[in-house]
Amino acid sequence: MSSIPEELLYAETHEWVREREDGTLLVGITDHAQAALSDVVYVELPSVGDSFEAGQGFAVAESVKAASDIYAPVAGTVVEVNSQLEEAPELVNESPYELGWIAAFQPAGTPEGLLDAAGYCKAIA
Amino acid sequence: MRHVHSVISIESRPNGFAVQRGAVAMHHTPLYERHVARGARLVEFAGWEMPLQFKGIIAEHRAVRSAAGLFDVSHMGQLFVRGPQAAEFLARMATWDLARLAAGECRYCHILDEQGRILDDVIAFRLAADELLLVPNAATTVRIEAWLAAHIDDFDATLENRSAELACLALQGPDAPRLLQEGLGLAVEPFRVEHHGELLVSGTGYTGGAGCEIIVPAADAPPLWEALLARGAVPCGLGARDTLRLERGMLLSGSDFDGSQTPLEASCEWVVDWEHDFIGRDALLAQREAGGYAVLQGVQLEQRGVPRPGCAVFHAGERVGTLTSGTLSPSLGTGIGLAYLSLTPGAEVAVEVRGKHLSGRVVRPPFQ
């Protein structure tokens, strides 16, 4: 069983979203996604200041055998990236919801079309 | 040495994460149910549904480098050639003079067509004066069987394909000899083969380290598999098999050669014994004389990134080749690959990985 924290929002493409106190959104990939990817050996991060549409690929997680796009769950601008992943990409596997976060976004509007934990649980069932 | 397809250039795009499988019925090894029960992630490879990984490619790779890993390689072929001229026949068919192999010796070599192009890489085992075993790759076993059958009539020899009734386990890593001793009471030297009843154990493998391969009747494979795991061997899939072989610069049939390259181009002149007559020899001699061909070389990245088969290789701004294999080396933490290049070791190259040019160098494998 994969872990799906109650307090987060989810995209059907397996990203999670956590709203921070300053209104920015922290984004990573779910436990289900990291398990499916298996050993992440490289994460291609966006640059701070890059803007993305909702659903646009903003990062790439590479396992030994596959490269998987990570999609922006909301439209917005990258305000911070998890540069720890450059040296320790395995954090995406070991701590997908905490140390393995990928980027923080300043959202361009109100997030739309995201799932709550129960909805995401159903989506991956 | 050899085998495994780059299985596995599964690009899990859009919201993928799914392992793609062919629609046709797939072959299963005698260990298939064990793999399913153990929760292996399965992948289609050369018409076989095989374990890609059990716990994870990195952990399995490390287990083989530091302890012992166990692979199911029952998809590979077993072609037996018997008769007074069995060795003479295979010497004619292979780049190595297999008539010179003593009973109990194994040899890695290539089977060529008349133009000198590699049809497959194989290990030949001399089991007795009048009996040899050839182990081709899974995807090429039927083709090699047909190629041998088309040439055997001039010799006093017979051919038997026993691939369907035999299984093969590869026990690899520094602890492999100890586990073989403890589990089966056996020992084998590198590139030697021993018969023990219906079991064949050889000092061979595809990881570049110590270890052995064990060929047994299909029904004996599950208890042997479980017994070796119970001794501490780590179950490993084709994913780790691929990263392990690539670190040591071993060829992958179908990827690093695909029917259009010669052993000279594949940097494998060492598998050629020029002192004997074999199919493809004249073409190889002519090529060696003419020179001027690209050869398979290692490429090692200096920038972080994961090179994949198919990535373009650049030198001085020009595209000079394409990776035939590529991965992130779990042992070294750097991107490594193979490509046919007209460059010498030390030359600076760039590999295009998803639109970005990552700098690297031409090196002579094994990678270090």
Side-chain angles (χ1 to χ4, degrees):
Chain A
M1 264 318 281
S2 61
S3 146
I4 305 174
E6 280 296 325
E7 69 276 16
L8 304 181
L9 292 174
Y10 299 89
E12 283 179 358
T13 48
H14 311 290
E15 293 82 15
W16 55 260
V17 176
R18 174 182 286 132
E19 184 165 2
R20 298 197 289 193
E21 284 182 5
D22 63 1
T24 61
L25 303 176
L26 211 56
V27 175
I29 66 169
T30 64
D31 187 35
H32 174 76
Q34 71 76 20
L37 264 178
S38 187
D39 300 313
V40 174
V41 293
Y42 181 70
V43 181
E44 188 177 302
L45 296 167
S47 301
V48 170
D50 288 352
S51 291
F52 297 92
E53 297 297 320
Q56 196 183 352
F58 77 95
V60 181
E62 300 215 35
S63 68
V64 177
K65 284 301 167 198
S68 295
D69 286 323
I70 303 172
Y71 299 95
V74 298
T77 302
V78 174
V79 294
E80 199 180 341
V81 297
N82 185 359
S83 52
Q84 262 197 293
L85 298 181
E86 289 168 6
E87 289 307 313
E90 64 274 13
L91 291 174
V92 172
N93 298 115
E94 292 165 2
S95 179
Y97 297 111
E98 300 293 338
L99 300 176
W101 65 277
I102 296 181
F105 286 79
Q106 181 67 55
T110 315
E112 286 175 21
L114 296 178
L115 305 167
D116 61 12
Y120 181 66
C121 187
K122 209 178 291 177
I124 63 172
Chain B
M1 351 180 94
R2 65 259 137 58
H3 345 294
V4 168
H5 202 253
S6 51
V7 179
I8 322 170
S9 335
I10 304 155
E11 285 277 298
S12 80
R13 285 287 157 180
N15 50 11
F17 300 130
V19 172
Q20 294 168 356
R21 306 207 185 143
V24 281
M26 283 186 278
H27 299 293
H28 289 151
T29 79
L31 296 167
Y32 173 75
E33 280 81 18
R34 308 275 162 158
H35 302 328
V36 171
R38 207 162 249 115
R41 191 173 302 186
L42 300 166
V43 68
E44 194 251 318
F45 172 69
W48 293 75
E49 191 171 21
M50 299 293 292
L52 171 65
Q53 62 178 51
F54 292 86
K55 293 280 189 240
I57 292 172
I58 305 267
E60 292 164 26
H61 181 107
R62 289 187 177 141
V64 172
R65 289 284 182 249
S66 66
L70 187 61
F71 301 81
D72 176 11
V73 289
S74 304
H75 57 314
M76 298 195 38
Q78 286 92 18
L79 304 176
F80 287 79
V81 179
R82 302 187 185 92
Q85 290 189 298
E88 287 75 8
F89 167 57
L90 285 181
R92 167 81 184 139
M93 304 303 294
T95 55
W96 196 253
D97 185 2
L98 298 174
R100 290 198 311 161
L101 278 189
E105 288 180 345
C106 322
R107 181 79 203 188
Y108 171 80
C109 56
H110 293 176
I111 308 282
L112 310 182
D113 66 11
E114 299 284 359
Q115 287 74 44
R117 298 174 300 204
I118 306 169
L119 295 174
D120 200 12
D121 61 349
V122 298
I123 293 182
F125 302 73
R126 184 137 196 190
L127 304 176
D130 59 354
E131 183 179 36
L132 287 91
L133 164 62
L134 212 59
V135 176
N137 288 282
T140 48
T141 296
V142 170
R143 202 180 315 153
I144 293 298
E145 181 186 11
W147 181 250
L148 296 183
H151 293 85
I152 202 169
D153 286 351
D154 296 341
F155 295 86
D156 187 0
T158 60
L159 174 64
E160 185 188 10
N161 182 352
R162 297 189 63 202
S163 308
E165 61 204 81
L166 296 176
C168 185
L169 309 189
L171 179 64
Q172 301 282 299
D175 290 349
R178 181 174 58 79
L179 297 188
L180 181 67
Q181 183 65 49
E182 291 175 1
L184 292 168
L186 298 177
V188 67
E189 296 295 313
F191 289 97
R192 300 281 309 177
V193 57
E194 294 190 16
H195 239 135
H196 297 278
E198 286 203 283
L199 178 150
L200 273 178
V201 58
S202 59
T204 52
Y206 190 46
T207 63
C212 63
E213 291 173 304
I214 308 166
I215 294 173
V216 290
D220 296 341
L224 177 60
W225 171 262
E226 296 299 337
L228 291 169
L229 294 184
R231 297 259 169 198
V234 172
C236 296
L238 296 186
R241 189 164 160 81
D242 192 45
T243 55
L244 288 157
R245 69 91 195 169
L246 183 52
E247 283 185 349
R248 301 298 162 94
M250 293 175 170
L251 306 187
L252 173 57
S253 180
S255 292
D256 298 319
F257 59 87
D258 61 5
S260 54
Q261 302 85 4
T262 69
L264 303 183
E265 291 166 315
S267 297
C268 284
E269 187 170 350
W270 61 276
V271 309
V272 179
D273 178 353
W274 295 104
E275 300 303 312
H276 86 298
D277 186 36
F278 58 94
I279 292 176
R281 181 173 182 270
D282 292 346
L284 284 193
L285 277 174
Q287 183 179 45
R288 193 172 66 160
E289 186 75 17
Y293 47 86
V295 297
L296 194 66
Q297 309 250 32
V299 171
Q300 190 156 19
L301 296 188
E302 288 158 353
Q303 270 179 290
R304 280 193 77 93
V306 187
R308 311 277 183 189
C311 286
V313 181
F314 293 82
H315 174 70
E318 299 280 324
R319 180 165 181 172
V320 293
T322 304
L323 293 187
T324 54
S325 287
T327 194
L328 189 98
S329 158
S331 300
L332 304 170
T334 61
I336 59 174
L338 299 173
Y340 287 90
L341 300 170
S342 296
L343 297 169
T344 49
E348 289 182 16
V349 290
V351 176
E352 185 176 331
V353 178
R354 287 176 302 96
K356 283 188 189 156
H357 281 223
L358 304 179
S359 62
R361 264 176 209 287
V362 176
V363 301
R364 199 184 303 278
F367 296 94
Q368 46 198 319

